[in-house]
Amino acid sequence: MSGREFFTARTLAEVRAGFRPAHRTPVERVPLSEALRRVPAADITAPAALPGFARSTVDGFAVRAMDTYGASEGLPSYLDLIGAVRMGAAPTVAVRAGGCVAMPTGGVIPDGADAVVMVEYTAETMPGTIEVTRPVAPGGGIVRADEDAVAGGLLAPAGRPLRAPDLGFLAAAGVTTVAVHRRPRVAIVSTGDEVVPSGTVELAAGQVRDATASALAGLVADAGGEPMIAGIVPDEPGALKERLTEILTESDLVVVSAGSSVGARDETAGAVAAIGDIWCHGIAIKPGKPTLLAECSGIPLIGLPGNPLSALVVFGQVGTPLLWRIAGCEAPPPQPSTRARLSRDLASAAGRLDVVQVAVRGGVAEPIFGPSALLSVLTRADGYMIVPEPATGLDAGTEIEVILYR
């Protein structure tokens, strides 16, 4: 156990800053259709300037800006209409002094023009003559040829998951495949003689269906990983060590559930210590204190508390950021949040971070409490709030941030 005292709790901040395994998933090239939320392995740059030509941002008329100076409704400028630009085609005319060319939004700016006046500020007073009632500055109504991106400019940075707008930006630049980190493969191991497969129809006395593994698989998938349900290991000496040894070679992260609560944590810690190095066993967080973090043959491992509520809370706080890191993302994408006022006084213990489930109605956050064995506490919650380590509690009416579940 690397000489560390068993069950010496670390703060969550210490865990996030100190437990930083070097393992990363390998790089693969995927089409844009499969790239959403994937993490680029290197900066993606523009092969050419975007949009590649100066284009109009409004419907109107391409002009020389100086020909509109001083124009007003009382004293308009009059310009000769000398042609029109068609969408998807190069201009066939150039703008000369005192002239203008009709423009659609997105059309190519003709030679000689340095602005586009909006159609709302014009009128065709007679055939071939356009009346302009508002001046336009040089560059008005125009996107430069390299305004979206210069040739060689950054389209998407390494280490940040690709979002839907990123995919559109890459497609506009003609980038059809990207080099990204492979989705992390996360092996989920359940332990305990009382745990049986979720498909078990009839339960014997004392048996419980394996609900935690399914919920963890959902959290893994939501964070961009590939969950691998690795079965249930009985409480037999050597069984967990044997199963962990089997799955390490095919995993990027191993999660052991129901193996580090009071009754089984010695066996879990012993099995992990036999094949790797335990970084800590115990986090100053409620729920979820008996959490184990380790590295085994370079692969990170999380030993979660036995109660489902505790296991899922801890995985959200520790496992999800670690999963993103393994996938090449140093800063996990922020979760949606909202501000609300606490409905009641909330007690806490100094030196321990509390994760409290809440329901939010009309801007008021109502804490939801219940035993750590009850998943219904989570299913009834709209999100959670954090009571930081230094606090000894919060008063009713305190404005808090609620991290929302998606």
Side-chain angles (χ1 to χ4, degrees):
M1 298 183 61
S2 303
R4 300 188 186 278
E5 181 181 353
F6 176 73
F7 215 56
T8 300
R10 300 292 193 95
T11 67
L12 183 61
E14 288 175 333
V15 168
R16 288 177 173 173
F19 186 62
R20 302 177 71 83
H23 179 71
R24 300 291 181 274
T25 57
V27 176
E28 61 183 5
R29 186 164 287 277
V30 301
L32 281 187
S33 60
E34 299 175 13
L36 184 65
R37 302 189 76 196
R38 303 294 293 274
V39 182
D43 289 348
I44 305 173
T45 57
L50 278 180
F53 59 90
R55 61 194 299 183
S56 175
T57 62
V58 296
D59 289 336
F61 297 90
V63 299
R64 298 194 317 163
M66 66 176 63
D67 290 338
T68 70
Y69 293 166
S72 66
E73 292 186 4
L75 189 62
S77 296
Y78 293 92
L79 302 176
D80 295 329
L81 180 61
I82 56 178
V85 169
R86 293 189 300 109
M87 284 297 295
T92 58
V93 296
V95 173
R96 54 172 170 75
C100 65
V101 171
M103 294 294 304
T105 300
V108 182
I109 301 298
D111 291 341
D114 62 0
V116 176
V117 62
M118 294 176 64
V119 68
E120 289 87 345
Y121 306 130
T122 66
E124 189 168 5
T125 56
M126 62 184 71
T129 300
I130 300 299
E131 179 182 271
V132 179
T133 59
R134 181 176 293 190
V136 62
I142 292 177
V143 168
R144 300 189 312 271
D146 62 355
E147 192 162 343
D148 230 2
V150 299
L154 182 65
L155 296 177
R160 192 196 74 186
L162 294 171
R163 301 167 295 188
D166 295 316
L167 303 187
F169 201 19
L170 295 174
V175 177
T176 57
T177 64
V178 291
V180 296
H181 284 275
R182 191 192 68 201
R183 297 185 188 277
R185 296 168 180 168
V186 182
I188 301 170
V189 182
S190 302
T191 68
D193 289 335
E194 78 282 10
V195 182
V196 297
S198 59
T200 303
V201 177
E202 297 289 338
L203 295 177
Q207 290 183 330
V208 293
R209 296 184 181 91
D210 187 3
T212 305
S214 295
L216 287 172
L219 291 179
V220 168
D222 189 54
E226 293 183 358
M228 303 185 301
I229 304 298
I232 301 168
V233 178
D235 293 329
E236 298 175 3
L240 181 57
K241 174 186 173 184
E242 180 180 351
R243 187 69 183 115
L244 292 177
T245 302
E246 292 172 349
I247 63 177
L248 274 173
T249 57
E250 59 189 47
S251 307
D252 298 301
L253 172 64
V254 175
V255 180
V256 181
S257 72
S260 55
S261 54
V262 173
R265 67 192 184 200
D266 287 319
E267 174 62 28
T268 300
V272 174
I275 59 174
D277 296 314
I278 294 178
W279 188 82
C280 81
H281 195 176
I283 302 177
I285 184 175
K286 180 184 179 182
K289 182 180 179 182
T291 296
L292 178 150
L293 299 174
E295 282 190 79
C296 303
S297 301
I299 301 301
L301 180 146
I302 305 176
L304 295 173
N307 286 318
L309 171 60
S310 299
L312 298 183
V313 166
V314 169
F315 189 84
Q317 296 298 312
V318 178
T320 295
L322 180 58
L323 185 57
W324 278 111
R325 179 175 169 81
I326 293 168
C329 176
E330 292 299 326
Q335 292 178 265
S337 65
T338 188
R339 305 293 296 182
R341 295 196 176 276
L342 197 56
S343 67
R344 47 165 288 181
D345 292 343
L346 196 60
S348 181
R352 180 190 71 199
L353 182 145
D354 286 1
V355 180
V356 181
Q357 307 303 310
V358 296
V360 181
R361 298 291 183 274
V364 176
E366 176 68 33
I368 301 174
F369 297 105
S372 294
L374 300 183
L375 281 170
S376 60
V377 174
L378 283 172
T379 61
R380 289 186 288 126
D382 297 306
Y384 67 89
M385 59 170 288
I386 296 290
V387 183
E389 288 96 339
T392 57
L394 297 174
D395 295 330
T398 300
E399 186 177 66
I400 59 169
E401 181 182 28
V402 178
I403 308 301
L404 298 172
Y405 295 128
R406 289 180 290 208

